[in-house]
PDB file of all heavy atoms in Angstrom:
ATOM      1  N   PRO M  12       0.811  -1.216   0.000  1.00  0.00           N
ATOM      2  CA  PRO M  12       0.000   0.000   0.000  1.00  0.00           C
ATOM      3  C   PRO M  12       0.844   1.265   0.000  1.00  0.00           C
ATOM      4  O   PRO M  12       1.991   1.271   0.429  1.00  0.00           O
ATOM      5  CB  PRO M  12      -0.785  -0.109   1.311  1.00  0.00           C
ATOM      6  CG  PRO M  12       0.117  -0.888   2.201  1.00  0.00           C
ATOM      7  CD  PRO M  12       0.819  -1.874   1.301  1.00  0.00           C
ATOM      8  N   ASP M  13       0.244   2.330  -0.491  1.00  0.00           N
ATOM      9  CA  ASP M  13       0.814   3.668  -0.361  1.00  0.00           C
ATOM     10  C   ASP M  13       0.332   4.204   0.979  1.00  0.00           C
ATOM     11  O   ASP M  13      -0.865   4.246   1.236  1.00  0.00           O
ATOM     12  CB  ASP M  13       0.306   4.545  -1.503  1.00  0.00           C
ATOM     13  CG  ASP M  13       0.775   5.985  -1.408  1.00  0.00           C
ATOM     14  OD1 ASP M  13       1.512   6.305  -0.465  1.00  0.00           O
ATOM     15  OD2 ASP M  13       0.392   6.781  -2.271  1.00  0.00           O
ATOM     16  N   THR M  14       1.232   4.588   1.840  1.00  0.00           N
ATOM     17  CA  THR M  14       0.854   4.953   3.200  1.00  0.00           C
ATOM     18  C   THR M  14       0.635   6.449   3.397  1.00  0.00           C
ATOM     19  O   THR M  14       0.436   6.899   4.513  1.00  0.00           O
ATOM     20  CB  THR M  14       1.937   4.492   4.192  1.00  0.00           C
ATOM     21  OG1 THR M  14       3.196   5.087   3.830  1.00  0.00           O
ATOM     22  CG2 THR M  14       2.068   2.977   4.176  1.00  0.00           C
ATOM     23  N   ARG M  15       0.657   7.248   2.297  1.00  0.00           N
ATOM     24  CA  ARG M  15       0.379   8.672   2.465  1.00  0.00           C
ATOM     25  C   ARG M  15      -1.026   8.874   3.006  1.00  0.00           C
ATOM     26  O   ARG M  15      -1.945   8.176   2.638  1.00  0.00           O
ATOM     27  CB  ARG M  15       0.506   9.410   1.124  1.00  0.00           C
ATOM     28  CG  ARG M  15       1.923   9.510   0.605  1.00  0.00           C
ATOM     29  CD  ARG M  15       1.959  10.287  -0.687  1.00  0.00           C
ATOM     30  NE  ARG M  15       1.077   9.667  -1.689  1.00  0.00           N
ATOM     31  CZ  ARG M  15       0.345  10.364  -2.544  1.00  0.00           C
ATOM     32  NH1 ARG M  15       0.346  11.669  -2.519  1.00  0.00           N
ATOM     33  NH2 ARG M  15      -0.408   9.736  -3.440  1.00  0.00           N
ATOM     34  N   GLN M  16      -1.195   9.863   3.869  1.00  0.00           N
ATOM     35  CA  GLN M  16      -2.495  10.177   4.441  1.00  0.00           C
ATOM     36  C   GLN M  16      -2.817  11.643   4.196  1.00  0.00           C
ATOM     37  O   GLN M  16      -1.935  12.504   4.257  1.00  0.00           O
ATOM     38  CB  GLN M  16      -2.488   9.929   5.958  1.00  0.00           C
ATOM     39  CG  GLN M  16      -2.289   8.486   6.345  1.00  0.00           C
ATOM     40  CD  GLN M  16      -3.598   7.722   6.327  1.00  0.00           C
ATOM     41  OE1 GLN M  16      -4.666   8.300   6.444  1.00  0.00           O
ATOM     42  NE2 GLN M  16      -3.522   6.416   6.186  1.00  0.00           N
ATOM     43  N   LEU M  17      -4.086  11.938   3.921  1.00  0.00           N
ATOM     44  CA  LEU M  17      -4.530  13.319   3.955  1.00  0.00           C
ATOM     45  C   LEU M  17      -4.583  13.775   5.405  1.00  0.00           C
ATOM     46  O   LEU M  17      -4.971  13.017   6.286  1.00  0.00           O
ATOM     47  CB  LEU M  17      -5.927  13.455   3.357  1.00  0.00           C
ATOM     48  CG  LEU M  17      -6.050  13.453   1.836  1.00  0.00           C
ATOM     49  CD1 LEU M  17      -7.519  13.576   1.454  1.00  0.00           C
ATOM     50  CD2 LEU M  17      -5.266  14.585   1.225  1.00  0.00           C
ATOM     51  N   THR M  18      -4.220  15.015   5.666  1.00  0.00           N
ATOM     52  CA  THR M  18      -4.332  15.557   7.005  1.00  0.00           C
ATOM     53  C   THR M  18      -5.615  16.362   7.102  1.00  0.00           C
ATOM     54  O   THR M  18      -6.158  16.832   6.102  1.00  0.00           O
ATOM     55  CB  THR M  18      -3.138  16.477   7.323  1.00  0.00           C
ATOM     56  OG1 THR M  18      -3.060  17.504   6.332  1.00  0.00           O
ATOM     57  CG2 THR M  18      -1.838  15.687   7.304  1.00  0.00           C
ATOM     58  N   LEU M  19      -6.123  16.521   8.309  1.00  0.00           N
ATOM     59  CA  LEU M  19      -7.333  17.297   8.495  1.00  0.00           C
ATOM     60  C   LEU M  19      -7.120  18.710   7.971  1.00  0.00           C
ATOM     61  O   LEU M  19      -6.099  19.350   8.226  1.00  0.00           O
ATOM     62  CB  LEU M  19      -7.703  17.344   9.980  1.00  0.00           C
ATOM     63  CG  LEU M  19      -8.203  16.032  10.576  1.00  0.00           C
ATOM     64  CD1 LEU M  19      -8.429  16.183  12.071  1.00  0.00           C
ATOM     65  CD2 LEU M  19      -9.474  15.588   9.894  1.00  0.00           C
ATOM     66  N   GLY M  20      -8.088  19.178   7.232  1.00  0.00           N
ATOM     67  CA  GLY M  20      -7.987  20.497   6.627  1.00  0.00           C
ATOM     68  C   GLY M  20      -7.494  20.448   5.200  1.00  0.00           C
ATOM     69  O   GLY M  20      -7.604  21.429   4.471  1.00  0.00           O
ATOM     70  N   ALA M  21      -6.928  19.326   4.781  1.00  0.00           N
ATOM     71  CA  ALA M  21      -6.494  19.188   3.394  1.00  0.00           C
ATOM     72  C   ALA M  21      -7.707  18.975   2.505  1.00  0.00           C
ATOM     73  O   ALA M  21      -8.784  18.633   2.985  1.00  0.00           O
ATOM     74  CB  ALA M  21      -5.533  18.005   3.265  1.00  0.00           C
ATOM     75  N   PRO M  22      -7.579  19.168   1.176  1.00  0.00           N
ATOM     76  CA  PRO M  22      -8.719  18.948   0.290  1.00  0.00           C
ATOM     77  C   PRO M  22      -9.286  17.547   0.468  1.00  0.00           C
ATOM     78  O   PRO M  22      -8.562  16.564   0.426  1.00  0.00           O
ATOM     79  CB  PRO M  22      -8.101  19.126  -1.107  1.00  0.00           C
ATOM     80  CG  PRO M  22      -6.906  19.998  -0.892  1.00  0.00           C
ATOM     81  CD  PRO M  22      -6.373  19.606   0.463  1.00  0.00           C
ATOM     82  N   GLY M  23     -10.577  17.479   0.702  1.00  0.00           N
ATOM     83  CA  GLY M  23     -11.228  16.182   0.824  1.00  0.00           C
ATOM     84  C   GLY M  23     -11.275  15.610   2.229  1.00  0.00           C
ATOM     85  O   GLY M  23     -11.821  14.543   2.423  1.00  0.00           O
ATOM     86  N   ALA M  24     -10.712  16.278   3.208  1.00  0.00           N
ATOM     87  CA  ALA M  24     -10.731  15.728   4.554  1.00  0.00           C
ATOM     88  C   ALA M  24     -12.160  15.713   5.105  1.00  0.00           C
ATOM     89  O   ALA M  24     -12.923  16.636   4.904  1.00  0.00           O
ATOM     90  CB  ALA M  24      -9.838  16.541   5.485  1.00  0.00           C
ATOM     91  N   VAL M  25     -12.511  14.637   5.799  1.00  0.00           N
ATOM     92  CA  VAL M  25     -13.858  14.496   6.337  1.00  0.00           C
ATOM     93  C   VAL M  25     -13.931  15.073   7.738  1.00  0.00           C
ATOM     94  O   VAL M  25     -13.053  14.858   8.566  1.00  0.00           O
ATOM     95  CB  VAL M  25     -14.256  13.004   6.379  1.00  0.00           C
ATOM     96  CG1 VAL M  25     -15.461  12.799   7.297  1.00  0.00           C
ATOM     97  CG2 VAL M  25     -14.599  12.521   4.983  1.00  0.00           C
ATOM     98  N   THR M  26     -14.969  15.834   8.003  1.00  0.00           N
ATOM     99  CA  THR M  26     -15.292  16.231   9.362  1.00  0.00           C
ATOM    100  C   THR M  26     -16.669  15.668   9.678  1.00  0.00           C
ATOM    101  O   THR M  26     -17.526  15.589   8.804  1.00  0.00           O
ATOM    102  CB  THR M  26     -15.307  17.766   9.511  1.00  0.00           C
ATOM    103  OG1 THR M  26     -16.177  18.315   8.506  1.00  0.00           O
ATOM    104  CG2 THR M  26     -13.916  18.337   9.321  1.00  0.00           C
ATOM    105  N   PRO M  27     -16.895  15.258  10.910  1.00  0.00           N
ATOM    106  CA  PRO M  27     -18.140  14.563  11.238  1.00  0.00           C
ATOM    107  C   PRO M  27     -19.315  15.519  11.413  1.00  0.00           C
ATOM    108  O   PRO M  27     -19.789  15.768  12.518  1.00  0.00           O
ATOM    109  CB  PRO M  27     -17.787  13.853  12.552  1.00  0.00           C
ATOM    110  CG  PRO M  27     -16.769  14.736  13.168  1.00  0.00           C
ATOM    111  CD  PRO M  27     -15.967  15.301  12.036  1.00  0.00           C
ATOM    112  N   ASN M  28     -19.770  16.134  10.310  1.00  0.00           N
ATOM    113  CA  ASN M  28     -20.930  16.995  10.385  1.00  0.00           C
ATOM    114  C   ASN M  28     -21.729  16.899   9.102  1.00  0.00           C
ATOM    115  O   ASN M  28     -21.338  16.230   8.152  1.00  0.00           O
ATOM    116  CB  ASN M  28     -20.513  18.449  10.674  1.00  0.00           C
ATOM    117  CG  ASN M  28     -19.572  18.981   9.615  1.00  0.00           C
ATOM    118  OD1 ASN M  28     -19.826  18.854   8.424  1.00  0.00           O
ATOM    119  ND2 ASN M  28     -18.478  19.589  10.051  1.00  0.00           N
ATOM    120  N   ALA M  29     -22.883  17.574   9.077  1.00  0.00           N
ATOM    121  CA  ALA M  29     -23.806  17.449   7.957  1.00  0.00           C
ATOM    122  C   ALA M  29     -23.276  18.089   6.687  1.00  0.00           C
ATOM    123  O   ALA M  29     -23.892  17.957   5.636  1.00  0.00           O
ATOM    124  CB  ALA M  29     -25.141  18.072   8.344  1.00  0.00           C
ATOM    125  N   ALA M  30     -22.155  18.790   6.758  1.00  0.00           N
ATOM    126  CA  ALA M  30     -21.602  19.420   5.566  1.00  0.00           C
ATOM    127  C   ALA M  30     -21.046  18.401   4.586  1.00  0.00           C
ATOM    128  O   ALA M  30     -20.827  18.726   3.422  1.00  0.00           O
ATOM    129  CB  ALA M  30     -20.506  20.413   5.963  1.00  0.00           C
ATOM    130  N   ASN M  31     -20.785  17.199   5.036  1.00  0.00           N
ATOM    131  CA  ASN M  31     -20.268  16.142   4.167  1.00  0.00           C
ATOM    132  C   ASN M  31     -21.347  15.082   3.974  1.00  0.00           C
ATOM    133  O   ASN M  31     -21.534  14.213   4.826  1.00  0.00           O
ATOM    134  CB  ASN M  31     -19.009  15.513   4.772  1.00  0.00           C
ATOM    135  CG  ASN M  31     -17.874  16.506   4.906  1.00  0.00           C
ATOM    136  OD1 ASN M  31     -17.592  16.980   5.997  1.00  0.00           O
ATOM    137  ND2 ASN M  31     -17.241  16.829   3.797  1.00  0.00           N
ATOM    138  N   PRO M  32     -22.068  15.132   2.857  1.00  0.00           N
ATOM    139  CA  PRO M  32     -23.146  14.157   2.635  1.00  0.00           C
ATOM    140  C   PRO M  32     -22.636  12.725   2.699  1.00  0.00           C
ATOM    141  O   PRO M  32     -21.499  12.436   2.317  1.00  0.00           O
ATOM    142  CB  PRO M  32     -23.634  14.511   1.226  1.00  0.00           C
ATOM    143  CG  PRO M  32     -23.244  15.940   1.025  1.00  0.00           C
ATOM    144  CD  PRO M  32     -21.950  16.103   1.757  1.00  0.00           C
ATOM    145  N   VAL M  33     -23.497  11.836   3.155  1.00  0.00           N
ATOM    146  CA  VAL M  33     -23.141  10.423   3.258  1.00  0.00           C
ATOM    147  C   VAL M  33     -23.934   9.626   2.232  1.00  0.00           C
ATOM    148  O   VAL M  33     -25.031  10.015   1.813  1.00  0.00           O
ATOM    149  CB  VAL M  33     -23.392   9.877   4.676  1.00  0.00           C
ATOM    150  CG1 VAL M  33     -22.461  10.544   5.668  1.00  0.00           C
ATOM    151  CG2 VAL M  33     -24.847  10.061   5.089  1.00  0.00           C
ATOM    152  N   GLY M  34     -23.340   8.488   1.813  1.00  0.00           N
ATOM    153  CA  GLY M  34     -23.973   7.686   0.780  1.00  0.00           C
ATOM    154  C   GLY M  34     -23.709   6.207   0.962  1.00  0.00           C
ATOM    155  O   GLY M  34     -23.104   5.770   1.943  1.00  0.00           O
ATOM    156  N   ILE M  35     -24.162   5.449  -0.019  1.00  0.00           N
ATOM    157  CA  ILE M  35     -23.994   4.000  -0.051  1.00  0.00           C
ATOM    158  C   ILE M  35     -23.659   3.576  -1.468  1.00  0.00           C
ATOM    159  O   ILE M  35     -23.814   4.351  -2.414  1.00  0.00           O
ATOM    160  CB  ILE M  35     -25.277   3.266   0.414  1.00  0.00           C
ATOM    161  CG1 ILE M  35     -26.482   3.694  -0.440  1.00  0.00           C
ATOM    162  CG2 ILE M  35     -25.540   3.519   1.885  1.00  0.00           C
ATOM    163  CD1 ILE M  35     -27.761   2.937  -0.141  1.00  0.00           C
ATOM    164  N   ASP M  36     -23.190   2.346  -1.635  1.00  0.00           N
ATOM    165  CA  ASP M  36     -23.115   1.729  -2.954  1.00  0.00           C
ATOM    166  C   ASP M  36     -23.713   0.336  -2.857  1.00  0.00           C
ATOM    167  O   ASP M  36     -23.525  -0.366  -1.861  1.00  0.00           O
ATOM    168  CB  ASP M  36     -21.697   1.719  -3.508  1.00  0.00           C
ATOM    169  CG  ASP M  36     -20.680   1.098  -2.574  1.00  0.00           C
ATOM    170  OD1 ASP M  36     -20.569  -0.147  -2.575  1.00  0.00           O
ATOM    171  OD2 ASP M  36     -19.988   1.833  -1.848  1.00  0.00           O
ATOM    172  N   VAL M  37     -24.463  -0.039  -3.891  1.00  0.00           N
ATOM    173  CA  VAL M  37     -25.255  -1.266  -3.825  1.00  0.00           C
ATOM    174  C   VAL M  37     -25.215  -2.020  -5.152  1.00  0.00           C
ATOM    175  O   VAL M  37     -24.889  -1.467  -6.195  1.00  0.00           O
ATOM    176  CB  VAL M  37     -26.729  -0.959  -3.462  1.00  0.00           C
ATOM    177  CG1 VAL M  37     -26.834  -0.285  -2.110  1.00  0.00           C
ATOM    178  CG2 VAL M  37     -27.399  -0.109  -4.537  1.00  0.00           C
ATOM    179  N   SER M  38     -25.576  -3.290  -5.063  1.00  0.00           N
ATOM    180  CA  SER M  38     -25.746  -4.149  -6.237  1.00  0.00           C
ATOM    181  C   SER M  38     -26.848  -5.144  -5.898  1.00  0.00           C
ATOM    182  O   SER M  38     -27.553  -4.984  -4.888  1.00  0.00           O
ATOM    183  CB  SER M  38     -24.441  -4.881  -6.571  1.00  0.00           C
ATOM    184  OG  SER M  38     -24.147  -5.847  -5.572  1.00  0.00           O
ATOM    185  N   HIS M  39     -26.978  -6.200  -6.704  1.00  0.00           N
ATOM    186  CA  HIS M  39     -28.035  -7.180  -6.432  1.00  0.00           C
ATOM    187  C   HIS M  39     -27.828  -7.919  -5.115  1.00  0.00           C
ATOM    188  O   HIS M  39     -28.766  -8.530  -4.591  1.00  0.00           O
ATOM    189  CB  HIS M  39     -28.156  -8.178  -7.587  1.00  0.00           C
ATOM    190  CG  HIS M  39     -26.973  -9.077  -7.764  1.00  0.00           C
ATOM    191  ND1 HIS M  39     -25.854  -8.715  -8.480  1.00  0.00           N
ATOM    192  CD2 HIS M  39     -26.725 -10.332  -7.317  1.00  0.00           C
ATOM    193  CE1 HIS M  39     -24.986  -9.711  -8.473  1.00  0.00           C
ATOM    194  NE2 HIS M  39     -25.488 -10.706  -7.781  1.00  0.00           N
ATOM    195  N   TYR M  40     -26.617  -7.871  -4.550  1.00  0.00           N
ATOM    196  CA  TYR M  40     -26.380  -8.546  -3.274  1.00  0.00           C
ATOM    197  C   TYR M  40     -27.188  -7.927  -2.132  1.00  0.00           C
ATOM    198  O   TYR M  40     -27.395  -8.572  -1.106  1.00  0.00           O
ATOM    199  CB  TYR M  40     -24.892  -8.522  -2.937  1.00  0.00           C
ATOM    200  CG  TYR M  40     -24.067  -9.375  -3.853  1.00  0.00           C
ATOM    201  CD1 TYR M  40     -23.073  -8.816  -4.655  1.00  0.00           C
ATOM    202  CD2 TYR M  40     -24.290 -10.749  -3.947  1.00  0.00           C
ATOM    203  CE1 TYR M  40     -22.324  -9.604  -5.512  1.00  0.00           C
ATOM    204  CE2 TYR M  40     -23.544 -11.536  -4.798  1.00  0.00           C
ATOM    205  CZ  TYR M  40     -22.559 -10.957  -5.587  1.00  0.00           C
ATOM    206  OH  TYR M  40     -21.829 -11.732  -6.432  1.00  0.00           O
ATOM    207  N   GLN M  41     -27.636  -6.679  -2.297  1.00  0.00           N
ATOM    208  CA  GLN M  41     -28.451  -6.049  -1.259  1.00  0.00           C
ATOM    209  C   GLN M  41     -29.926  -6.441  -1.366  1.00  0.00           C
ATOM    210  O   GLN M  41     -30.716  -6.080  -0.496  1.00  0.00           O
ATOM    211  CB  GLN M  41     -28.317  -4.521  -1.317  1.00  0.00           C
ATOM    212  CG  GLN M  41     -27.149  -3.962  -0.519  1.00  0.00           C
ATOM    213  CD  GLN M  41     -25.806  -4.393  -1.063  1.00  0.00           C
ATOM    214  OE1 GLN M  41     -25.521  -4.257  -2.253  1.00  0.00           O
ATOM    215  NE2 GLN M  41     -24.964  -4.924  -0.193  1.00  0.00           N
ATOM    216  N   GLY M  42     -30.310  -7.138  -2.408  1.00  0.00           N
ATOM    217  CA  GLY M  42     -31.705  -7.537  -2.556  1.00  0.00           C
ATOM    218  C   GLY M  42     -32.609  -6.345  -2.813  1.00  0.00           C
ATOM    219  O   GLY M  42     -32.193  -5.323  -3.367  1.00  0.00           O
ATOM    220  N   THR M  43     -33.858  -6.474  -2.392  1.00  0.00           N
ATOM    221  CA  THR M  43     -34.832  -5.399  -2.578  1.00  0.00           C
ATOM    222  C   THR M  43     -34.576  -4.287  -1.567  1.00  0.00           C
ATOM    223  O   THR M  43     -34.451  -4.548  -0.368  1.00  0.00           O
ATOM    224  CB  THR M  43     -36.264  -5.932  -2.422  1.00  0.00           C
ATOM    225  OG1 THR M  43     -36.483  -6.962  -3.397  1.00  0.00           O
ATOM    226  CG2 THR M  43     -37.275  -4.819  -2.628  1.00  0.00           C
ATOM    227  N   ILE M  44     -34.513  -3.058  -2.057  1.00  0.00           N
ATOM    228  CA  ILE M  44     -34.191  -1.904  -1.218  1.00  0.00           C
ATOM    229  C   ILE M  44     -35.390  -0.968  -1.140  1.00  0.00           C
ATOM    230  O   ILE M  44     -36.033  -0.672  -2.152  1.00  0.00           O
ATOM    231  CB  ILE M  44     -32.975  -1.135  -1.786  1.00  0.00           C
ATOM    232  CG1 ILE M  44     -31.721  -2.025  -1.740  1.00  0.00           C
ATOM    233  CG2 ILE M  44     -32.735   0.166  -1.024  1.00  0.00           C
ATOM    234  CD1 ILE M  44     -30.525  -1.424  -2.427  1.00  0.00           C
ATOM    235  N   ASN M  45     -35.690  -0.494   0.062  1.00  0.00           N
ATOM    236  CA  ASN M  45     -36.716   0.524   0.264  1.00  0.00           C
ATOM    237  C   ASN M  45     -36.039   1.886   0.223  1.00  0.00           C
ATOM    238  O   ASN M  45     -35.487   2.340   1.225  1.00  0.00           O
ATOM    239  CB  ASN M  45     -37.444   0.307   1.601  1.00  0.00           C
ATOM    240  CG  ASN M  45     -38.594   1.285   1.804  1.00  0.00           C
ATOM    241  OD1 ASN M  45     -38.543   2.435   1.388  1.00  0.00           O
ATOM    242  ND2 ASN M  45     -39.641   0.806   2.466  1.00  0.00           N
ATOM    243  N   TRP M  46     -36.061   2.513  -0.932  1.00  0.00           N
ATOM    244  CA  TRP M  46     -35.301   3.747  -1.118  1.00  0.00           C
ATOM    245  C   TRP M  46     -35.906   4.928  -0.352  1.00  0.00           C
ATOM    246  O   TRP M  46     -35.189   5.860   0.017  1.00  0.00           O
ATOM    247  CB  TRP M  46     -35.157   4.054  -2.598  1.00  0.00           C
ATOM    248  CG  TRP M  46     -34.150   3.159  -3.247  1.00  0.00           C
ATOM    249  CD1 TRP M  46     -34.392   2.019  -3.951  1.00  0.00           C
ATOM    250  CD2 TRP M  46     -32.729   3.321  -3.221  1.00  0.00           C
ATOM    251  NE1 TRP M  46     -33.205   1.446  -4.370  1.00  0.00           N
ATOM    252  CE2 TRP M  46     -32.170   2.230  -3.939  1.00  0.00           C
ATOM    253  CE3 TRP M  46     -31.876   4.267  -2.665  1.00  0.00           C
ATOM    254  CZ2 TRP M  46     -30.803   2.074  -4.115  1.00  0.00           C
ATOM    255  CZ3 TRP M  46     -30.498   4.117  -2.842  1.00  0.00           C
ATOM    256  CH2 TRP M  46     -29.980   3.026  -3.552  1.00  0.00           C
ATOM    257  N   THR M  47     -37.199   4.899  -0.086  1.00  0.00           N
ATOM    258  CA  THR M  47     -37.794   5.953   0.734  1.00  0.00           C
ATOM    259  C   THR M  47     -37.223   5.910   2.143  1.00  0.00           C
ATOM    260  O   THR M  47     -36.888   6.955   2.732  1.00  0.00           O
ATOM    261  CB  THR M  47     -39.325   5.809   0.770  1.00  0.00           C
ATOM    262  OG1 THR M  47     -39.843   5.899  -0.564  1.00  0.00           O
ATOM    263  CG2 THR M  47     -39.955   6.888   1.627  1.00  0.00           C
ATOM    264  N   SER M  48     -37.064   4.703   2.681  1.00  0.00           N
ATOM    265  CA  SER M  48     -36.455   4.560   4.008  1.00  0.00           C
ATOM    266  C   SER M  48     -34.989   4.947   3.986  1.00  0.00           C
ATOM    267  O   SER M  48     -34.480   5.554   4.940  1.00  0.00           O
ATOM    268  CB  SER M  48     -36.608   3.118   4.504  1.00  0.00           C
ATOM    269  OG  SER M  48     -37.958   2.788   4.724  1.00  0.00           O
ATOM    270  N   VAL M  49     -34.294   4.599   2.902  1.00  0.00           N
ATOM    271  CA  VAL M  49     -32.881   4.974   2.758  1.00  0.00           C
ATOM    272  C   VAL M  49     -32.735   6.492   2.798  1.00  0.00           C
ATOM    273  O   VAL M  49     -31.881   7.038   3.497  1.00  0.00           O
ATOM    274  CB  VAL M  49     -32.309   4.395   1.449  1.00  0.00           C
ATOM    275  CG1 VAL M  49     -30.945   5.010   1.129  1.00  0.00           C
ATOM    276  CG2 VAL M  49     -32.191   2.877   1.539  1.00  0.00           C
ATOM    277  N   LYS M  50     -33.580   7.186   2.053  1.00  0.00           N
ATOM    278  CA  LYS M  50     -33.538   8.649   2.049  1.00  0.00           C
ATOM    279  C   LYS M  50     -33.849   9.212   3.424  1.00  0.00           C
ATOM    280  O   LYS M  50     -33.170  10.131   3.904  1.00  0.00           O
ATOM    281  CB  LYS M  50     -34.528   9.184   1.015  1.00  0.00           C
ATOM    282  CG  LYS M  50     -34.640  10.702   0.963  1.00  0.00           C
ATOM    283  CD  LYS M  50     -33.359  11.347   0.449  1.00  0.00           C
ATOM    284  CE  LYS M  50     -33.561  12.841   0.258  1.00  0.00           C
ATOM    285  NZ  LYS M  50     -32.322  13.499  -0.260  1.00  0.00           N
ATOM    286  N   SER M  51     -34.861   8.656   4.085  1.00  0.00           N
ATOM    287  CA  SER M  51     -35.245   9.130   5.418  1.00  0.00           C
ATOM    288  C   SER M  51     -34.144   8.903   6.445  1.00  0.00           C
ATOM    289  O   SER M  51     -34.063   9.613   7.454  1.00  0.00           O
ATOM    290  CB  SER M  51     -36.527   8.428   5.880  1.00  0.00           C
ATOM    291  OG  SER M  51     -37.615   8.762   5.040  1.00  0.00           O
ATOM    292  N   ALA M  52     -33.272   7.897   6.186  1.00  0.00           N
ATOM    293  CA  ALA M  52     -32.158   7.603   7.086  1.00  0.00           C
ATOM    294  C   ALA M  52     -31.006   8.590   6.929  1.00  0.00           C
ATOM    295  O   ALA M  52     -30.008   8.489   7.641  1.00  0.00           O
ATOM    296  CB  ALA M  52     -31.662   6.182   6.858  1.00  0.00           C
ATOM    297  N   GLY M  53     -31.130   9.523   6.002  1.00  0.00           N
ATOM    298  CA  GLY M  53     -30.101  10.554   5.839  1.00  0.00           C
ATOM    299  C   GLY M  53     -29.125  10.302   4.718  1.00  0.00           C
ATOM    300  O   GLY M  53     -28.134  11.022   4.582  1.00  0.00           O
ATOM    301  N   ILE M  54     -29.388   9.295   3.897  1.00  0.00           N
ATOM    302  CA  ILE M  54     -28.499   9.000   2.768  1.00  0.00           C
ATOM    303  C   ILE M  54     -28.770   9.990   1.640  1.00  0.00           C
ATOM    304  O   ILE M  54     -29.905  10.098   1.157  1.00  0.00           O
ATOM    305  CB  ILE M  54     -28.695   7.557   2.275  1.00  0.00           C
ATOM    306  CG1 ILE M  54     -28.323   6.568   3.386  1.00  0.00           C
ATOM    307  CG2 ILE M  54     -27.893   7.292   1.012  1.00  0.00           C
ATOM    308  CD1 ILE M  54     -26.879   6.669   3.856  1.00  0.00           C
ATOM    309  N   SER M  55     -27.733  10.683   1.215  1.00  0.00           N
ATOM    310  CA  SER M  55     -27.870  11.707   0.180  1.00  0.00           C
ATOM    311  C   SER M  55     -27.587  11.187  -1.218  1.00  0.00           C
ATOM    312  O   SER M  55     -28.137  11.698  -2.198  1.00  0.00           O
ATOM    313  CB  SER M  55     -26.919  12.883   0.463  1.00  0.00           C
ATOM    314  OG  SER M  55     -27.235  13.520   1.672  1.00  0.00           O
ATOM    315  N   PHE M  56     -26.683  10.181  -1.324  1.00  0.00           N
ATOM    316  CA  PHE M  56     -26.290   9.712  -2.651  1.00  0.00           C
ATOM    317  C   PHE M  56     -26.020   8.219  -2.638  1.00  0.00           C
ATOM    318  O   PHE M  56     -25.821   7.611  -1.576  1.00  0.00           O
ATOM    319  CB  PHE M  56     -25.052  10.466  -3.152  1.00  0.00           C
ATOM    320  CG  PHE M  56     -23.794  10.185  -2.379  1.00  0.00           C
ATOM    321  CD1 PHE M  56     -22.937   9.156  -2.747  1.00  0.00           C
ATOM    322  CD2 PHE M  56     -23.454  10.953  -1.273  1.00  0.00           C
ATOM    323  CE1 PHE M  56     -21.778   8.891  -2.041  1.00  0.00           C
ATOM    324  CE2 PHE M  56     -22.288  10.702  -0.554  1.00  0.00           C
ATOM    325  CZ  PHE M  56     -21.447   9.657  -0.942  1.00  0.00           C
ATOM    326  N   ALA M  57     -26.012   7.638  -3.832  1.00  0.00           N
ATOM    327  CA  ALA M  57     -25.749   6.206  -3.965  1.00  0.00           C
ATOM    328  C   ALA M  57     -25.115   5.929  -5.317  1.00  0.00           C
ATOM    329  O   ALA M  57     -25.441   6.577  -6.316  1.00  0.00           O
ATOM    330  CB  ALA M  57     -27.038   5.412  -3.836  1.00  0.00           C
ATOM    331  N   TYR M  58     -24.200   4.971  -5.333  1.00  0.00           N
ATOM    332  CA  TYR M  58     -23.732   4.397  -6.592  1.00  0.00           C
ATOM    333  C   TYR M  58     -24.295   2.985  -6.697  1.00  0.00           C
ATOM    334  O   TYR M  58     -24.241   2.204  -5.747  1.00  0.00           O
ATOM    335  CB  TYR M  58     -22.203   4.406  -6.682  1.00  0.00           C
ATOM    336  CG  TYR M  58     -21.706   5.642  -7.420  1.00  0.00           C
ATOM    337  CD1 TYR M  58     -21.144   6.712  -6.737  1.00  0.00           C
ATOM    338  CD2 TYR M  58     -21.833   5.736  -8.806  1.00  0.00           C
ATOM    339  CE1 TYR M  58     -20.708   7.843  -7.413  1.00  0.00           C
ATOM    340  CE2 TYR M  58     -21.403   6.861  -9.487  1.00  0.00           C
ATOM    341  CZ  TYR M  58     -20.844   7.916  -8.794  1.00  0.00           C
ATOM    342  OH  TYR M  58     -20.434   9.039  -9.474  1.00  0.00           O
TER     343      TYR M  58
END
């Protein structure tokens, strides 16, 4: 592995607040998904 790390404050660094939308990625392994519940759970995006 490449062991370089982004430091806090660098481009792309995550802070634990609502300013950084959260998401999921899914395929057929997740089966049937209730997307209304997913949205209500705070998920902003999905691949």
Side-chain angles (χ1 to χ4, degrees):
D13 176 1
T14 58
R15 290 182 303 142
Q16 295 276 337
L17 282 179
T18 56
L19 290 176
V25 163
T26 53
N28 58 49
N31 297 104
V33 294
I35 56 175
D36 54 83
V37 299
S38 69
H39 67 275
Y40 292 118
Q41 273 65 51
T43 301
I44 296 173
N45 184 326
W46 285 97
T47 300
S48 294
V49 168
K50 177 67 173 181
S51 296
I54 297 300
S55 297
F56 67 90
Y58 265 104

